[in-house]
Amino acid sequence: MVNGGVHSAPEPDRSEASETGRDKSRATVITPDCSPTNIVDVPWPRVSVVIPAMNEARNLPHVFALIPHTVYEVILVDGRSVDNTVAVARELRPDVQVVTQNRTGKGNALACGFAAATGDIIAMIDGDGSADPGEIPAFVRALLNGTDFAKGTRSGDGGGSEDLTRLRRTGNRVLSALFNACYKTRYSDLCYGYNVFWRRCLPVLHLDSTTLVSDDEDGRLWGDGFEIEALIHIRIAKSGLKVTEVPSFERSRIHGVSNLNAIRDGMRVLRTILTERRRIRHPDGGATVSESVLSDNDGSRAGPVIGMKDRNSDLIFNSDQSRS
């Protein structure tokens, strides 16, 4: 709906599908105990894929080609790219929703993308080709089996990485061990950013997608940078939500140079772990990281997202944004 230049996401429907958190349409999906070539026809929830991207025009064709056709919507969050990232995305997928982030950093991009999502499930995918969108069904199955949050891990059977240096691997192990000690979890791969979760979990994350900051404030708020994954896991742990790790294989970036800096970003993660630990004590039980059990999979939806239109995007968030 468009009123006076303001774009609103469609109102959630009140049908049985909305109330149960399942889309009643039939979709071809992979079952838990079969190979990718052995598929069946079963009900499937609506999955919103959120892709933060800045100057990823050359990588998007590889990423979009692997997105399962059962995905409900794709949201590209543009970090004000200077190449033709947005044009390429729209050429590859005309139904893509393009959102321009209102601050800087990956964390802010994800917050804006999450706020725009209307599906039952949200999947976080990097735009550099390192994460395989074809793994999304495995994460969704974990949610359907009763978990609240499916976290990717490069450890275990089916997991691995082409891009994990010795320094990053060591730092990840140290940070994972510290995180587990602080928040009573058992994560095997804290710093891997492939995550899929029920959209109803968004209030637990407390991510700000509306506040604007001036240039002299460095253009960022707490959690706007690469520390976003650690911040999300901390708040999930504090909430006591059920987490399941899903093996995932990380590829090397296809084109371009990563903005990741092992020392700088590792220190950000360390600071996040310690700062959040001091702010609010975690619940006695911590988060449960284990195999899934059945749940009711409540599909409650957030209200419509409102923002100002931008010539290069479908939605750009601002401080006047409201959500019902």
Side-chain angles (χ1 to χ4, degrees), residues 86-306:
V86 171
V88 168
R90 286 184 167 146
E91 180 180 356
L92 293 169
R93 190 173 181 119
D95 65 342
V96 68
Q97 182 179 1
V98 178
V99 174
T100 302
Q101 67 181 103
N102 59 354
R103 298 189 297 272
T104 61
K106 182 179 180 180
N108 172 245
L110 288 172
C112 291
F114 294 167
T118 61
D120 307 305
I121 289 171
I122 295 175
M124 301 163 45
I125 300 291
D126 287 339
D128 60 5
S130 60
D132 182 3
E135 295 176 349
I136 289 176
F139 286 80
V140 172
R141 286 196 297 270
L143 300 182
L144 294 178
N145 285 337
T147 200
D148 299 302
F149 192 99
K151 185 195 180 321
T153 176
R154 292 163 291 189
S155 301
D157 293 340
S161 176
E162 295 177 344
D163 195 43
L164 201 57
T165 64
R166 181 175 298 179
L167 175 61
R168 288 177 56 205
R169 189 185 303 275
T170 300
N172 187 28
R173 287 176 178 170
V174 171
L175 292 170
S176 296
L178 176 63
F179 185 98
N180 291 336
C182 288
Y183 298 101
K184 298 184 178 180
T185 55
R186 296 198 302 271
Y187 290 130
S188 63
D189 192 0
L190 174 66
C191 298
Y192 189 42
Y194 199 157
N195 302 295
V196 180
F197 56 94
W198 291 103
R199 188 163 69 95
R200 65 169 184 263
C201 298
L202 280 179
V204 168
L205 305 184
H206 299 293
L207 301 180
D208 186 333
S209 63
T210 61
T211 301
L212 300 180
V213 295
S214 60
D215 291 340
D216 58 4
E217 294 176 287
D218 194 31
R220 293 189 180 185
L221 297 180
W222 178 246
D224 276 356
F226 277 106
E227 70 276 9
I228 181 61
E229 282 97 359
L231 187 62
I232 286 174
H233 297 315
I234 289 169
R235 291 176 179 175
I236 290 292
K238 288 177 178 178
S239 72
L241 292 176
K242 185 174 179 60
V243 179
T244 295
E245 289 193 321
V246 177
S248 175
F249 193 87
E250 178 188 39
R251 303 288 180 184
S252 297
R253 164 182 276 273
I254 300 173
H255 298 290
V257 179
S258 173
N259 292 320
L260 180 68
N261 180 289
I263 301 298
R264 179 196 63 204
D265 295 318
M267 293 303 296
R268 281 182 178 173
V269 173
L270 175 61
R271 177 180 170 226
T272 302
I273 293 172
L274 298 179
T275 300
E276 289 283 316
R277 167 74 172 173
R278 290 193 299 267
R279 279 184 175 178
I280 307 173
R281 294 186 62 187
H282 60 81
D284 291 341
T288 302
V289 184
S290 60
E291 295 185 0
S292 305
V293 295
L294 295 178
S295 73
D296 58 5
N297 291 332
D298 174 26
S300 59
R301 295 173 177 274
V305 178
I306 301 173

Side-chain angles (χ1 to χ4, degrees), residues 47-51 67 71 73-76 121-123 125 136:
V47 178
S48 299
V49 178
V50 175
I51 306 174
I67 296 176
V71 159
E73 64 182 357
V74 175
I75 300 169
L76 180 86
I121 289 171
I122 295 175
I125 300 291
I136 289 176

